[in-house]
Amino acid sequence: LIEYIEKLQENEFIFEQIIENQNKDMEKHKKQLTKEKRKLNDIQRHLELTQDEIPNALAGTCQFSLEDLAESIERQKEQKQQQIDLIKQLEIELKNMTVSVNDWESLQSQIPSWREIFLTADTARKRVLVDRLIERIEITDEQVIIRFKINLNDFFVQPRISNVNGVPESGL
């Protein structure tokens, strides 16, 4: 039973998988944030170039009218503000993801192993643990059959019973 409980613990590498997935998500998020910051720099550069054309428009040497430049500048300022808001939102999400990963690691370190729980439990708690794991035990003169509530094939690579006839002696 202790070996079975240890197998359950081995399959609890789910925390590591969750952290790995969150780290991948964080990397994607960081790339998205970098991309959006580059886009903000492009908007800022275009805005500055458009603003630099104002003196030429006043002098009449620009191909755009002053009104066209003013409309373009206004649109670019709106785009810039939207981009700034998007970047702030992405930064907040990234910060929250970092806290979440740290929370998972803290939670994982606080959870005791199945083996520790079983070995330190009193008889009543061991009975509850066994009751949660085992559906039924059938004892006959020829064999003992333990029916688990969980599919054991998920936990064992090799077959559980090498003798097709079951357990040769009852041991009781």
Side-chain angles (χ1 to χ4, degrees), residues 12-28:
E12 288 187 1
F13 289 122
I14 190 127
F15 284 112
E16 292 174 12
Q17 187 63 47
I18 289 170
I19 290 171
E20 183 180 323
N21 290 344
Q22 283 185 333
N23 285 337
K24 287 179 183 177
D25 288 344
M26 283 177 59
E27 285 304 313
K28 286 181 188 176

Side-chain angles (χ1 to χ4, degrees), residues 8-169:
L8 283 175
Q9 183 68 30
E10 287 176 16
N11 279 350
E12 288 187 1
F13 289 122
I14 190 127
F15 284 112
E16 292 174 12
Q17 187 63 47
I18 289 170
I19 290 171
E20 183 180 323
N21 290 344
Q22 283 185 333
N23 285 337
K24 287 179 183 177
D25 288 344
M26 283 177 59
E27 285 304 313
K28 286 181 188 176
H29 216 74
K30 286 178 182 177
K31 287 179 182 178
Q32 180 69 26
L33 183 60
T34 302
K35 177 183 166 188
E36 297 301 333
K37 284 182 177 181
R38 269 190 248 122
K39 190 173 177 181
L40 176 62
N41 287 338
D42 289 345
I43 292 171
Q44 182 65 35
R45 194 176 76 250
H46 284 99
L47 178 61
E48 290 169 359
L49 289 173
T50 306
Q51 288 172 334
D52 289 346
E53 287 296 316
I54 292 174
N56 295 336
L58 289 172
T61 58
C62 179
Q63 62 183 3
F64 301 109
S65 69
L66 196 55
E67 293 82 19
D68 291 339
L69 286 176
E71 286 178 22
S72 178
I73 289 171
E74 193 59 37
R75 265 194 327 270
Q76 290 174 7
K77 284 182 178 180
E78 288 173 11
Q79 286 178 341
K80 179 182 173 182
Q81 188 56 50
Q82 289 173 352
Q83 197 66 22
I84 289 170
D85 293 342
L86 177 62
I87 289 171
K88 284 180 184 178
Q89 179 184 351
L90 289 173
E91 287 173 338
I92 289 170
E93 289 173 7
L94 185 62
K95 182 179 177 184
N96 290 340
M97 287 175 128
T98 304
V99 170
S100 179
V101 168
N102 292 338
D103 289 345
W104 273 113
E105 290 172 349
S106 173
L107 179 63
Q108 182 183 11
S109 68
Q110 293 174 10
I111 296 175
S113 71
W114 283 98
R115 180 185 178 98
E116 290 172 25
I117 292 171
F118 188 78
L119 291 176
T120 60
D122 59 20
T123 306
R125 289 185 187 198
K126 285 181 182 178
R127 175 174 241 136
V128 170
L129 285 170
V130 169
D131 185 55
R132 296 283 176 140
L133 296 172
I134 297 176
E135 182 178 324
R136 187 171 73 222
I137 300 174
E138 297 174 8
I139 302 174
T140 65
D141 289 337
E142 297 87 33
Q143 61 185 353
V144 174
I145 299 173
I146 301 174
R147 299 197 187 275
F148 288 92
K149 292 181 179 179
I150 303 172
N151 185 359
L152 290 180
N153 292 327
D154 293 340
F155 300 100
F156 296 106
V157 179
Q158 298 176 343
R160 294 188 313 270
I161 300 175
S162 58
N163 185 355
V164 182
N165 297 327
V167 179
E169 295 181 36

